[in-house]
Amino acid sequence: MNRYQDAAPGARGATAVVDPAAEREEAGRLWLYAPGRQAPERIPVPTRPPSGDGAGPREAVLFDRDGTLVADVPYNGDPSLVEPMPGALEAVAALRARGLMVGVVSNQSGVARGLLTGHQVAAVRQEVDARFGPFDVWAVCPHGPGDRCGCRKPAPGLVLAACAYLGVSPARTAVVGDIGADVGAARAAGARGVLVPTPMTRSEEVVAAREYARDLPGAVRLLLGGPGPGEGAA
């Protein structure tokens, strides 16, 4: 979705207008999806990293959804509109081949705005899992910008929740996304953040990124062994 401004209710991908109160989630809870489960577990937003040793190799990589794994369709509730980003399938497969766990951390404010239902969020998630193979965890923020939750990126809650579920330290986790909020959430949680810019990425976010890659395969190269041309640390 367009994470910088509201989309109109009739925007492509906004397939339902519902009463926001019907889907309202308290600001202190986020949605966590375990593999094979259709409904999320509504869990408290973590405020501190899980205990564990931060030393050692990378163990998990968490991806933003819209604009990173799949094409950014504003407030998408339609599984038929899911389209993997170029190189995304190969990137996720490469991480799995190296034994890393993979997850998704996604802001879905369309729920709070009344543009998405929980069932639609779950349906799109199932389609993404069908295309890529099931991710090890999904952590979703259903709140709006004014809800003052601790999970809406760039807050660290989604990253902390995913790490806690996977049993890994944020220090041994990377987050890959296309906007500053994604790498900001990584930094706030104590994880490594890699920016993969798209036309939606603001220039100041690119300048501020500590690490960047031209595409998802480039981000994986950076995480696994070293940067290619035009990739690396700022």
Side-chain angles (χ1 to χ4, degrees), residues 6 8 37 41 44 60 65 93 113 130 141 147 159 174 185 197:
D6 291 350
R37 292 192 58 182
E41 181 181 359
R65 193 191 83 177
R113 301 178 198 272
C141 171
D147 287 338
V159 178

Side-chain angles (χ1 to χ4, degrees), residues 35-62:
R37 292 192 58 182
Q38 295 186 356
E41 181 181 359
R42 289 165 163 81
I43 68 168
V45 177
T47 58
R48 63 185 64 184
S51 59
D53 184 6
R58 201 75 47 198
E59 292 184 328
V61 178
L62 307 175

Side-chain angles (χ1 to χ4, degrees), residues 11 38 45 49 56 58 64 68 92 98 105 119 135 158 169 175 208-209 217 221-222 224-225 232-233:
Q38 295 186 356
V45 177
R58 201 75 47 198
D64 171 57
T68 301
V92 173
R98 292 285 291 269
V105 286
H119 290 298
F135 283 88
L158 295 181
S169 167
V175 179
R221 286 193 298 270
L222 185 63
L224 293 182

